[in-house]
Amino acid sequence: MSEELLTKLLEYIDAAIDAKSEQARESSDGGLIEQCVKYRVKDELFELMKKEEAK
């Protein structure tokens, strides 16, 4: 697994934790921003995984 892929995976995990933490705090936007970041990072992670599989 490449360093770039591992870094993105850790970023995704951090974003997921932040999203859950934000939901627990019941912010006014319900954690919407954190959810958006999580899904953006997830998409980037899957793109990196596809590139790795193609190699």
Side-chain angles (χ1 to χ4, degrees), residues 8-19:
K8 190 55 65 177
L9 180 58
L10 290 173
E11 188 178 342
Y12 172 71
I13 291 168
D14 286 342
I17 290 169
D18 287 345

Side-chain angles (χ1 to χ4, degrees), residues 5-40:
L5 184 56
L6 285 173
T7 300
K8 190 55 65 177
L9 180 58
L10 290 173
E11 188 178 342
Y12 172 71
I13 291 168
D14 286 342
I17 290 169
D18 287 345
K20 287 294 180 188
S21 296
E22 187 62 28
Q23 286 174 350
R25 285 185 231 125
E26 297 183 50
S27 71
S28 62
D29 70 354
L32 180 62
I33 293 170
E34 287 76 10
Q35 286 291 336
C36 290
V37 170
K38 176 183 155 190
Y39 288 117
R40 177 188 55 81

Side-chain angles (χ1 to χ4, degrees), residues 1-5 48-55:
M1 200 177 281
S2 73
E3 183 177 339
E4 183 181 16
L5 184 56
L48 286 171
M49 289 172 59
K50 287 179 189 176
K51 287 180 186 177
E52 284 293 312
E53 289 175 357
K55 288 183 181 179

